Amino acid sequence: MMGSENPGFEEAHLFASREEMENLVLDDPLTTHHPNNNNSYSSFRSANSSISESTHHPLSPPVLSTSADSDPLLSPPVYRNPNASDNNSYIEPPSYADVIFSPFDENSANEINRIDSTSQDTDSSFALSRSSSSSSDYIKITVSNPKKEQETTNSLVPGGNTYYTYLITTRTNIPDFGSSEFSVRRRFRDVVALSDRLAEAYRGYFIPPRPDKNVVESQVMQKQDFVEQRRVALEKYLKRLAGHPVIRLSDELKVFLQVEGRLPLSVSTDVASRMLDGTVVAPHEVVQPAKGGRDLLRLFKELRQSVANDWGGSKPPVVEEDKLFMEKKEWIHDLEQQISNASQQVETLVKAQQDMGETMGELGLAFIKLTKFENEEAMYNSQRVRAADMKCVATAAIKASRFYRELNAQTVKHLDTLHEYLGLMLAVHGAFTDRSSALLTVQTLLSELSTLHSRAEKLEAASSKIFGGDKSRIHKIEELKETIRITEDAKNVAIREYERIKENNKCELERLDKERRVDFLNMLKGFVVNQVGYAEKISDVWAKVAEETSGYAKDS
Amino acid sequence: MEQQSQRSVSGSVQSPRSPSSQPYLCVSVTDPVKLGNGVQAYISYRVITKTNFPEYQGPEKIVIRRYSDFIWLRDRLFEKYKGIFIPPLPEKSAVEKFRFSAEFIEMRRQALDVFVNRIASHNLLQQSEDLRTFLQADEETMERLRSYETGIFKKKPADLMQIFKDVQSKVSDVVLGKEKPVEESNPEYEKLKHYVFELENHLAEAQKHAYRLVKRHRELGQSLSDFGKAAKLLGACEGQALGKAFSDLGAKSEALSVKLQKEAHQLLMNFEEPLKDYVRAVQSIKATMGERANAFRQQCELAETMKLKEINLDKLMLTRSDRVGEAEHEYKELKAASEEATKRFETIVRLMNEEIVRFQEQKTRDMGIAFHEFAKGQARLANSVADAWRSLLPKLEACSFA
């Protein structure tokens, strides 16, 4: 028992002062980036409300700057290979164990958004399977270098109207882009534009939702923190876009990533409203849903239609007859609730693990102080013996504390998949809404058509009663017939659009199912392997102490 | 804690060969039972004594005692055996609500058992008549004694006390100066005092964190339980192989939650409680130090007074006053009292020196055991966790090939 110079002794010497000890226990890369000095679970809370707000993801701002110089035992990312030193007697860790235990580092040169044949994604920020494609094409996007810029036009106030731009760098081997590496500066407004255009062009798809505007936060937070928060959110968003098999190849995204200069804002193609107004328009332009302003009349008609649908009576000519779809929709809703519930519990679990680590560390600290005290004031040998025992326990407690915190960091990383999918649910909602509104458009047009037809019939009936025909009525009938023809075309276009969206929904649902299964399974595996690994390490630490104090057990 | 009672053989070698030849005194405090109603409800304990001490009534005796009886015993010992660190008692419950919680009752029972056995295994304390009373008297007697506590005690006939008191009131202001406490100027003792006071602070902090650690275990257990439930629900929704994986995960999580609650309890009983006990022991030492200070003061005061009386007596003798006889008598009494006080003080000092050695050794043992149990418990828990999660891995592997 006397002064057992276990390896822990070395560590104990590293923290001579209380401050160092506290740094050891409390200040690590996990917490330094939080303005309110809070733990990883706060990021979960924000991610729960909207995926774009998962700003303070504990590991996502590259934190290497803080961990680089400090005690290697301090920074979680150093723990690399579970096979290396200690124990891991359980099983040969599966191939992804290295992925799981490797540092969470977005700027490492080795990290690329790769789709390989095993569908394992080494992109650390979002370990989801990308697609079923077996080719190894990739798009790697980083957002960096926020810069403050001046609004050049309309500056009535000198020095007023500043905004931030972000450097968006892309590396890819997809030939469509025409280049393998390029960058562009973009402001948030451009991102909003991109998102809007994608929403128009890709109705029915599960389009990842863009980051929130966060107007309130932008005014309340420290500028630097807000800009950093936004940078992270943007990067996540673009990465998700790049991960979508269809959207990654879209023109909109290409332009956004490559073409310098202002992005053209979305043109509001409210032609459907113009057409429903009675103006002649190109039928293909009817496909966009009704928006505000100029679409008022169309909105009104569609609203009337939807009310008619809801309140029954007249059965709409086209119904959502796809029973399978309705069931799927309900199931998705249920799934969303369960994922949400699970992610809330994960939040609590993460907090509990964090607290455990913290308290364990504080206990260790208290014993270290006691050890020092007893040694300094020792008058009897029994005190020295006790001090040695105490130090043994203290070092173990501190080690265990570190392990808990590392475990937690990894837990957050893995179970974050749940959050990502919550965000995806928003995209699913969007796609289903696209479908509903497309259906509504079809129904509205059908009603319109039937109204027009009955009007035409009436006119013809009235006109046929007049011998020789009624010049004005005949003219009206001609006009009406023309309108009917156009409306007929528009209806066909709308139906085609509706069918297209239905098809998109179906494909995306299949993709969601497949990817979700893989992602969730990986999440579970990662979580479990992690728990096992760290539990074994913690067990070893304590087993050693139990061994060293076993003499006391025999006494009693 | 049956082991405690087996350890409590009086100071001599512990060889359990023939119980009749070796003197032993074993006590166990068991069977807490709630008695009484409403506000007056209390817990009673069965105290079983096994002994071959001749002063005792028989080889075995069972009595019923309650917490205030233990307090009585402690107070009596504290008064009688100044200089000895009287074993500490668990605290009165601060919060009404928990007075009858199973955990609190068990913790108290354990602490009371330890208390009595420490007394029974102390070579001086075990001779105490009050201990015999406590272990053997019937309940009515015990109740009578308990309620007389304050009464009889202060009306002690020994006049030495009276003299002390008189002297104090007469002399203190004049000789000693108002409110100036007299203290030993013994550097080693100063060091000890400083040590004891500091130690209490350090221990209290350690105990605080130990208690928090118990709470953390409970919280982690709860969160694992909730997480398990959520995982099961998600599994039910997912269905198929993945759903089964979630369900299995959920089940394991719930099972681990139970283990965590168990470990929390173990931690409370075998780690946090010994630390609390340590703190109490230090507080008991402080009380003894207080007694030592009192004894020292009395010794000083009496010595002073005696000197004064001596001077006065010489004066009277010189003047051949007729009050010499009276003064001589008073002086003789004072001298006896002063010598008595000095003896008391020196006894306390001697006893304390022995006690402090014993205390340090005892604490090293106690903490050693506590550390061992703590480490064992943590290792056991971590192993359970590893085993539980590990058992899921083959199933998860199978899933990915499905």
Side-chain angles (χ1 to χ4, degrees):
Chain A
M1 291 310 158
M2 271 296 274
S4 43
E5 300 284 331
N6 44 5
F9 190 85
E10 292 306 309
E11 287 176 42
H13 266 319
L14 283 174
F15 4 99
S17 71
R18 191 201 167 146
E19 288 68 42
E20 279 188 63
M21 284 296 273
E22 279 187 314
N23 288 342
L24 168 71
V25 172
L26 300 172
D27 171 21
D28 73 21
L30 274 178
T31 55
T32 44
H33 274 263
H34 292 232
N36 47 341
N37 191 31
N38 218 332
N39 316 326
S40 47
Y41 73 91
S42 70
S43 79
F44 269 66
R45 188 150 302 145
S46 49
N48 251 338
S49 50
S50 137
I51 194 169
S52 54
E53 283 174 343
S54 57
T55 52
H56 280 282
H57 195 287
L59 296 166
S60 90
V63 294
L64 301 180
S65 49
T66 47
S67 63
D69 307 315
S70 47
D71 178 11
L73 288 163
L74 185 57
S75 46
V78 171
Y79 180 68
R80 210 169 267 273
N81 192 341
N83 275 326
S85 52
D86 309 321
N87 36 58
N88 290 21
S89 47
Y90 54 105
I91 45 168
E92 194 60 26
S95 54
Y96 51 75
D98 281 338
V99 175
I100 288 157
F101 281 102
S102 71
F104 192 70
D105 163 20
E106 297 200 22
N107 280 344
S108 155
N110 299 326
E111 301 282 9
I112 46 179
N113 183 349
R114 185 198 301 277
I115 302 168
D116 56 26
S117 51
T118 61
S119 209
Q120 287 296 335
D121 193 354
T122 57
D123 178 48
S124 49
S125 72
F126 187 27
L128 298 197
S129 62
R130 287 296 172 236
S131 76
S132 53
S133 135
S134 53
S135 61
S136 61
D137 50 359
Y138 63 88
I139 304 175
K140 152 96 173 154
I141 304 179
T142 44
V143 177
S144 58
N145 209 340
K147 241 199 304 202
K148 194 174 191 180
E149 302 201 11
Q150 202 87 352
E151 194 90 66
T152 46
T153 60
N154 304 338
S155 41
L156 297 160
V157 182
N161 256 5
T162 58
Y163 60 93
Y164 276 83
T165 60
Y166 303 83
L167 183 67
I168 307 200
T169 313
T170 315
R171 291 209 294 274
T172 176
N173 67 351
I174 296 179
D176 303 30
F177 284 90
S179 159
S180 64
E181 186 164 342
F182 41 87
S183 343
V184 72
R185 277 214 161 258
R186 289 267 175 246
R187 55 185 294 186
F188 190 75
R189 200 191 280 179
D190 298 334
V191 175
V192 176
L194 169 67
S195 163
D196 290 344
R197 302 204 65 188
L198 284 174
E200 284 165 14
Y202 290 91
R203 300 178 72 205
Y205 284 98
F206 298 169
I207 308 173
R210 65 156 170 79
D212 280 356
K213 287 182 186 163
N214 285 338
V215 175
V216 174
E217 290 200 7
S218 72
Q219 286 164 0
V220 164
M221 280 177 77
Q222 293 276 38
K223 212 49 185 167
Q224 260 174 326
D225 292 337
F226 179 73
V227 167
E228 175 59 17
Q229 177 179 297
R230 180 163 273 187
R231 185 198 67 76
V232 169
L234 289 180
E235 195 170 88
K236 267 206 164 172
Y237 172 60
L238 292 174
K239 281 192 152 103
R240 285 193 207 110
L241 289 182
H244 193 293
V246 174
I247 290 180
R248 77 209 303 244
L249 300 172
S250 66
D251 290 332
E252 290 82 358
L253 185 62
K254 277 207 204 85
V255 167
F256 179 87
L257 291 176
Q258 292 190 290
V259 179
E260 193 68 62
R262 249 184 100 155
L263 260 193
L265 288 175
S266 55
V267 175
S268 167
T269 52
D270 62 325
V271 279
S273 69
R274 295 212 298 265
M275 198 242 14
L276 284 168
D277 269 344
T279 332
V280 177
V281 285
H284 71 272
E285 290 166 318
V286 86
V287 298
Q288 289 310 317
K291 292 207 247 297
R294 293 176 283 177
D295 292 341
L296 267 180
L297 187 56
R298 175 175 163 194
L299 265 175
F300 180 67
K301 284 189 179 160
E302 289 192 346
L303 177 62
R304 206 173 50 198
Q305 179 64 38
S306 72
V307 168
N309 289 349
D310 287 345
W311 286 95
S314 62
K315 208 169 124 185
V318 177
V319 202
E320 188 61 82
E321 76 284 0
D322 195 342
K323 278 280 181 291
L324 239 73
F325 172 70
M326 293 312 279
E327 281 170 12
K328 195 78 178 179
K329 194 163 164 203
E330 258 187 59
W331 177 82
I332 291 261
H333 182 65
D334 187 29
L335 181 71
E336 180 181 358
Q337 279 198 312
Q338 300 313 333
I339 294 181
S340 171
N341 182 31
S343 93
Q344 269 183 320
Q345 300 312 329
V346 164
E347 203 176 299
T348 332
L349 177 64
V350 162
K351 177 172 194 318
Q353 275 180 179
Q354 183 82 5
D355 287 345
M356 178 73 92
E358 241 172 59
T359 302
M360 188 68 86
E362 285 169 346
L363 182 71
L365 251 184
F367 276 129
I368 291 276
K369 282 194 279 186
L370 248 176
T371 303
K372 246 175 90 168
F373 172 70
E374 289 278 15
N375 274 328
E376 279 167 9
E377 312 237 348
M379 293 178 280
Y380 303 97
N381 196 45
S382 53
Q383 285 173 281
R384 278 182 248 274
V385 171
R386 190 164 63 240
D389 292 338
M390 236 173 237
K391 193 208 295 248
C392 186
V393 172
T395 6
I398 290 172
K399 274 197 202 146
S401 159
R402 269 208 215 105
F403 285 144
Y404 269 110
R405 291 147 73 75
E406 284 177 29
L407 162 70
N408 218 23
Q410 300 290 335
T411 303
V412 163
K413 194 175 111 187
H414 293 306
L415 297 181
D416 194 46
T417 306
L418 282 173
H419 283 112
E420 293 289 337
Y421 269 88
L422 269 183
L424 228 100
M425 290 300 154
L426 281 177
V428 173
H429 282 311
F432 287 176
T433 306
D434 289 343
R435 179 175 172 146
S436 311
S437 50
L439 178 61
L440 188 60
T441 304
V442 168
Q443 289 169 344
T444 313
L445 284 172
L446 283 170
S447 298
E448 186 78 7
L449 261 177
S450 85
T451 314
L452 289 172
H453 274 301
S454 58
R455 248 210 323 217
E457 273 169 28
K458 275 201 205 111
L459 275 177
E460 279 184 357
S463 142
S464 67
K465 292 206 176 99
I466 298 178
F467 186 70
D470 183 332
K471 261 247 166 66
S472 70
R473 278 220 182 87
I474 290 174
H475 181 63
K476 271 199 195 122
I477 292 174
E478 289 301 316
E479 276 185 354
L480 213 49
K481 285 225 161 79
E482 182 61 27
T483 308
I484 288 177
R485 233 193 334 272
I486 291 176
T487 312
E488 191 69 42
D489 284 343
K491 177 204 80 171
N492 290 333
V493 168
I495 289 181
R496 274 205 300 278
E497 173 69 0
Y498 171 62
E499 292 296 328
R500 189 177 74 90
I501 291 179
K502 266 169 64 173
E503 187 59 30
N504 290 346
N505 274 176
K506 181 155 159 287
C507 290
E508 288 283 77
L509 276 172
E510 280 167 15
R511 184 176 70 91
L512 172 70
D513 268 349
K514 203 154 36 136
E515 286 183 5
R516 190 186 71 255
R517 292 214 181 94
V518 176
D519 289 337
F520 276 179
L521 198 60
N522 284 340
M523 167 182 83
L524 290 180
K525 275 194 213 162
F527 171 73
V528 169
V529 167
N530 203 35
Q531 289 281 342
V532 174
Y534 278 105
E536 290 193 343
K537 289 181 129 34
I538 291 173
S539 168
D540 283 348
V541 158
W542 290 116
K544 236 188 288 186
V545 175
E547 175 67 39
E548 285 175 16
T549 54
S550 58
Y552 294 105
K554 292 196 199 88
D555 281 3
S556 69
Chain B
M1 294 303 270
E2 288 305 316
Q3 295 170 327
Q4 295 285 354
S5 51
Q6 280 152 26
R7 270 198 307 133
S8 61
V9 180
S10 64
S12 48
V13 177
Q14 302 174 39
S15 46
R17 273 167 311 166
S18 41
S20 47
S21 57
Q22 294 287 355
Y24 68 90
L25 174 63
C26 303
V27 189
S28 64
V29 178
T30 61
D31 278 339
V33 169
K34 181 172 172 189
L35 297 178
N37 291 311
V39 220
Q40 298 178 329
Y42 64 95
I43 303 281
S44 74
Y45 304 88
R46 196 127 71 105
V47 180
I48 306 173
T49 308
K50 295 197 175 87
T51 180
N52 65 354
F53 281 15
E55 303 88 359
Y56 279 77
Q57 287 164 11
E60 180 166 326
K61 184 84 184 193
I62 300 179
V63 293
I64 305 291
R65 293 286 176 258
R66 54 187 290 186
Y67 180 69
S68 26
D69 295 331
F70 288 82
I71 294 184
W72 174 88
L73 176 62
R74 191 227 17 221
D75 290 347
R76 299 290 300 206
L77 292 175
F78 184 68
E79 273 301 320
K80 285 235 179 69
Y81 291 90
K82 296 197 206 282
I84 295 184
F85 303 156
I86 308 298
L89 273 176
E91 297 86 1
K92 263 200 144 335
S93 167
V95 187
E96 258 314 295
K97 198 159 53 123
F98 298 123
R99 221 154 47 97
F100 297 112
S101 78
E103 197 167 72
F104 176 76
I105 290 173
E106 175 54 22
M107 272 172 58
R108 176 171 274 194
R109 187 208 61 77
Q110 187 174 292
L112 292 175
D113 189 284
V114 167
F115 167 75
V116 183
N117 278 290
R118 280 190 179 139
I119 295 172
S121 55
H122 190 291
N123 61 337
L124 289 174
L125 293 178
Q126 69 183 197
Q127 310 293 338
S128 154
E129 189 184 322
D130 292 318
L131 177 66
R132 282 200 289 280
T133 309
F134 175 83
L135 291 176
Q136 298 180 118
D138 59 58
E139 278 144 74
E140 288 88 22
T141 314
M142 204 61 230
E143 191 172 330
R144 216 180 338 117
L145 289 171
R146 218 173 48 230
S147 47
Y148 278 3
E149 226 287 273
T150 43
I152 286 181
F153 217 31
K154 300 309 185 222
K155 292 196 185 90
K156 225 173 121 173
D159 281 31
L160 285 170
M161 281 287 262
Q162 246 353 82
I163 295 178
F164 293 169
K165 292 217 157 76
D166 291 344
V167 163
Q168 261 185 319
S169 57
K170 273 188 212 149
V171 169
S172 55
D173 290 335
V174 179
V175 174
L176 304 172
K178 281 211 163 54
E179 294 170 44
K180 197 167 82 144
V182 183
E183 281 184 10
E184 301 175 49
S185 55
N186 178 346
E188 225 174 84
Y189 185 59
E190 279 305 307
K191 196 169 162 214
L192 180 67
K193 270 202 287 188
H194 173 258
Y195 167 78
V196 168
F197 276 78
E198 273 299 299
L199 181 64
E200 188 185 1
N201 293 338
H202 281 119
L203 285 176
E205 195 184 328
Q207 184 257 325
K208 183 175 76 168
H209 291 303
Y211 180 69
R212 277 212 203 122
L213 193 66
V214 172
K215 249 195 349 176
R216 301 301 188 210
H217 277 69
R218 293 210 173 112
E219 287 162 5
L220 184 59
Q222 184 60 49
S223 70
L224 277 170
S225 170
D226 294 337
F227 173 67
K229 288 199 181 68
K232 275 178 161 172
L233 284 173
L234 184 52
C237 181
E238 280 283 359
Q240 297 176 17
L242 181 64
K244 181 98 190 355
F246 270 111
S247 297
D248 289 342
L249 185 97
K252 285 292 174 201
S253 195
E254 286 180 320
L256 279 178
S257 162
V258 173
K259 291 229 156 63
L260 266 154
Q261 299 295 351
K262 273 209 194 100
E263 189 55 40
H265 180 75
Q266 288 300 313
L267 207 57
L268 185 70
M269 304 297 278
N270 298 332
F271 184 63
E272 196 260 349
E273 180 61 23
L275 274 171
K276 248 206 320 229
D277 176 61
Y278 201 161
V279 173
R280 290 184 206 128
V282 172
Q283 286 164 348
S284 173
I285 296 180
K286 280 164 80 177
T288 304
M289 284 179 163
E291 290 298 310
R292 173 165 165 161
N294 284 344
F296 180 72
R297 221 178 330 209
Q298 282 168 0
Q299 179 208 31
C300 285
E301 285 169 15
L302 280 169
E304 283 297 318
T305 318
M306 191 185 76
K307 239 183 277 169
L308 285 175
K309 268 285 193 272
E310 195 174 13
I311 293 170
N312 191 34
L313 181 63
D314 289 342
K315 235 194 300 181
L316 288 177
M317 277 171 52
L318 276 172
T319 62
R320 297 192 209 249
S321 159
D322 52 342
R323 279 184 297 154
V324 166
E326 192 192 321
E328 225 167 22
H329 177 71
E330 277 177 13
Y331 172 71
K332 278 209 181 73
E333 272 192 352
L334 259 179
K335 188 150 181 246
S338 173
E339 278 162 12
E340 184 71 37
T342 307
K343 216 172 11 156
R344 267 175 211 250
F345 174 70
E346 281 168 2
T347 305
I348 291 181
V349 171
R350 180 180 50 84
L351 282 173
M352 274 186 76
N353 288 337
E354 288 168 14
E355 285 288 288
I356 195 74
V357 176
R358 183 201 307 251
F359 167 74
Q360 296 288 21
E361 284 171 4
Q362 183 64 52
K363 279 313 161 196
T364 300
R365 264 205 301 281
D366 288 345
M367 289 317 291
I369 294 171
F371 289 151
H372 182 70
E373 289 302 313
F374 176 47
K376 249 186 20 188
Q378 290 295 305
R380 183 176 50 225
L381 178 67
N383 276 332
S384 302
V385 172
D387 288 343
W389 294 127
R390 202 184 297 122
S391 68
L392 284 177
L393 283 172
K395 291 185 212 172
L396 287 178
E397 280 297 323
C399 262
S400 45
F401 299 122

